[in-house]
DNA sequence: CAGGATCCAAGATGATACTG
DNA sequence: CAGTATCATCTTGGATCCTG
């Protein structure tokens, strides 16, 4: 009986850590308060400049946005395009093909967020 | 022409903020380094005690785990069950039905994480 | 075992000013 | 416009000790 329990536990642990480590990897790269939001705005606006990007993401400071963009560029989600022919220099950010692999993640999160918001409202109504 | 551009931009902005705000809501509730991991372990182990939970989530401290669990309980993802009949008191945590609504989110993140890991390895290989 | 209390170090962030 | 630099602040997190 002891053995059965131990075996069951270690199988659970194995399944666990498999799923867990993949999600862990994902969170490591696209987790945090801003990354996904930036990626979404970038995907939906095609190409966009720094200040407009900042205006579209409520609450982000220039410094944080700048750092996040560098990070996203390193990981291949964003391309930074400099139009040197103009003065002052125009810089545009565009999303990459790779960022589009996040489609399902974004849809799942968006759907869940919508559902949850409705749910919260209902709860608030019920508790009155 | 100016008008066309303005219209296009505001439509983009509207779509943007819709998707964005839903994802924002989701991230607000289940974002952060630990929440989803805890939920996954909880779902896959049925019921589990504090210290075992801590052992299953590499790197989390007791204090942080404790805080996260309170948060998750408030939001309806976790149920805390106290078996007062035993001494010392046994406390078990179990996932709720509501936490199962995160299924698609977890699958999407897990799939993407797997894909990304493979991708990273390939890149590392290519750049040698 | 299941956590709470406390202290401290480190990182994240906001505000502001500045530059090419 | 597209950021960078600096400082003050606030939050987080780890480590440790403690208790019912």
């Amino acid at each position: 009986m002891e053995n059965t329990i131990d075996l069951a536990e270690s199988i659970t642990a194995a399944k666990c850590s498999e799923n867990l480590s993949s999600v862990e990897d994902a969170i490591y790269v696209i987790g945090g308060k801003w990354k996904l939001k930036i990626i979404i705005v970038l995907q939906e606006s095609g190409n966009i400049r720094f200040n407009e990007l900042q205006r579209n993401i409520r609450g982000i400071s220039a410094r944080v946005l700048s750092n996040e963009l560098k990070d996203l560029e390193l990981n291949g989600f964003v391309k930074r395009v400099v139009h040197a022919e103009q003065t002052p220099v125009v810089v545009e950010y565009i999303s990459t093909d790779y960022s589009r692999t996040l489609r399902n993640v974004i849809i799942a999160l968006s759907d869940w967020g919508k559902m949850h918001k409705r749910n919260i409202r209902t709860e608030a109504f019920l508790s009155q």
Side-chain angles (χ1 to χ4, degrees), chain A:
Chain A
M1 191 54 178
E2 271 298 318
N3 287 334
T4 313
I5 291 175
D6 289 353
L7 184 59
E9 265 183 22
S10 66
I11 288 175
T12 300
K15 257 189 59 183
C16 232
S17 57
E18 186 196 324
N19 217 325
L20 201 56
S21 92
S22 298
V23 173
E24 204 160 2
D25 294 336
I27 291 179
Y28 183 77
V29 184
I30 56 167
K33 199 173 169 185
W34 303 112
K35 298 231 160 58
L36 269 180
K37 296 188 204 175
I38 296 173
I39 289 174
I40 291 172
V41 173
L42 242 21
Q43 283 186 2
E44 295 191 342
S45 40
N47 62 328
I48 190 167
R49 296 168 67 172
F50 189 89
N51 284 306
E52 202 190 340
L53 193 47
Q54 190 181 1
R55 262 175 265 124
N56 274 290
I57 303 174
R58 207 171 28 123
I60 197 168
S61 70
R63 192 177 51 135
V64 172
L65 178 56
S66 172
N67 289 334
E68 295 284 30
L69 283 172
K70 280 177 198 158
D71 225 82
L72 290 173
E73 206 189 346
L74 271 178
N75 283 297
F77 296 112
V78 178
K79 190 121 199 279
R80 184 175 183 271
V81 181
V82 183
H83 300 275
E85 67 273 15
Q86 295 165 50
T87 317
V89 170
V90 170
V91 179
E92 285 183 336
Y93 292 90
I94 55 175
S95 62
T96 63
D97 286 340
Y98 194 59
S99 92
R100 248 145 268 143
T101 61
L102 287 168
R103 181 153 195 278
N104 287 340
V105 171
I106 292 172
I107 291 175
L109 277 170
S110 174
D111 286 350
W112 191 88
K114 276 197 203 74
M115 185 275 287
H116 184 65
K117 201 186 302 182
R118 275 200 307 275
N119 202 281
I120 291 293
R121 270 202 292 269
T122 308
E123 262 184 47
F125 172 72
L126 288 176
S127 67
Q128 296 220 340

